[in-house]
Amino acid sequence: MAGPLPLRFLRSYADPDLLPHVNAELALMGRSNVGKSSLINALAQHKGLAKTSKTPGATRLLNAFEVGNEDSGRWLMDLPGYGYAKVSKTEQAKWAEMLNAYVEERENLVAVLLLIDGEIGPTPLDLQTVEWLEHLGRPIIYVATKADKVRPSKSQKRRAELTAKLGVERKDVRWVSADKGQGIPELRALVLETLGVK
Ligand code: GDP
């Protein structure tokens, strides 16, 4: 099982056109509050790495992390959370445009880790995102967050519902808990394997 992920924050980008060439990249995506920052911190076992309490509506940036050795050229890209209701329509449209440009054009984007709240299940916006990623031909790795919030007695039913809504098989969804560590070593191993980090 993989230990803490060697993850270094590089910098933030406001414009996908300014991104340099990399060997392989994985993007992390999910609605705001899905537990994305907590997951990054858990993967790296580094509490302050991704900020968990962000200012709502703050500037939306692409946050680049390098995985493995320095200059490995294997990146994890933290994309801004979608669906934050209090952001203006104009702001949302701008962000959607930026995200679209990124997912459509980013070369060597090997897959998108799509985070779904395990307690809530896929929202209509999550399902829309799935459709859009499929349309663009990007492979999706499904990660259900906050697994610790689902009671063990409800777990089987909840997993069946979540996979049915996504239209995938149970084995295609990784359940994780950033708080309790469940599924974290397995996800670290998957990230390393997907990016081809030795
Ligand atoms: P982000 O907006 O997607 O970056 O979400 P955050 O990482 O900031 O988490 C949103 C909220 O969910 C915070 O209150 C976290 O403490 C909580 N949270 C995140 N991951 C977990 C988890 O694995 N278990 C539980 N119980 N709460 C979590």
Side-chain angles (χ1 to χ4, degrees):
M1 281 302 155
L5 209 59
L7 212 57
R8 264 164 305 106
F9 173 70
L10 294 173
R11 55 166 283 193
S12 300
Y13 293 86
D15 180 355
D17 285 345
L18 300 178
L19 291 169
H21 168 84
V22 293
N23 296 320
E25 188 161 294
L26 246 180
L28 263 173
M29 199 182 285
R31 71 166 176 77
S32 150
N33 217 40
V34 73
K36 190 154 53 63
S37 307
S38 306
L39 183 62
I40 293 171
N41 293 342
L43 289 172
Q45 207 176 87
H46 181 164
K47 273 212 164 67
L49 191 57
K51 291 193 195 91
T52 31
S53 60
K54 298 150 300 251
T55 318
T59 323
R60 325 224 117 195
L61 299 165
L62 308 165
N63 296 312
F65 294 85
E66 191 158 50
V67 187
N69 297 332
E70 202 167 325
D71 296 325
S72 71
R74 318 232 164 225
W75 284 20
L76 188 71
M77 189 65 86
D78 174 25
L79 306 178
Y82 53 75
Y84 186 75
K86 287 183 188 151
V87 174
S88 75
K89 282 262 171 346
T90 326
E91 198 56 38
Q92 280 185 32
K94 250 203 268 172
W95 141 230
E97 197 181 310
M98 193 249 278
L99 198 59
N100 209 49
Y102 169 79
V103 176
E104 220 167 90
E105 290 157 27
R106 185 65 169 145
E107 51 162 4
N108 297 339
L109 175 61
V110 289
V112 174
L113 279 176
L114 184 62
L115 273 46
I116 307 284
D117 193 312
E119 193 191 21
I120 297 170
T123 64
L125 201 50
D126 290 332
L127 296 175
Q128 220 174 298
T129 304
V130 169
E131 241 178 65
W132 167 65
L133 290 171
E134 283 177 343
H135 174 74
L136 293 177
R138 293 299 192 186
I140 305 171
I141 298 172
Y142 294 99
V143 177
T145 61
K146 310 185 189 180
D148 62 285
K149 283 188 153 187
V150 181
R151 271 195 239 138
S153 61
K154 297 242 171 87
S155 159
Q156 286 306 317
K157 189 166 170 265
R158 187 62 58 81
R159 286 175 191 226
E161 283 169 1
L162 189 133
T163 50
K165 277 192 186 159
L166 291 173
V168 298
E169 292 178 40
R170 276 199 210 195
K171 63 165 177 48
D172 296 328
V173 181
R174 275 87 186 166
W175 284 77
V176 299
S177 164
D179 277 15
K180 306 285 181 226
Q182 179 187 333
I184 297 296
E186 292 84 351
L187 190 59
R188 287 171 178 155
L190 184 66
V191 168
L192 294 173
E193 189 196 320
T194 310
L195 285 174
V197 176
K198 302 276 178 332

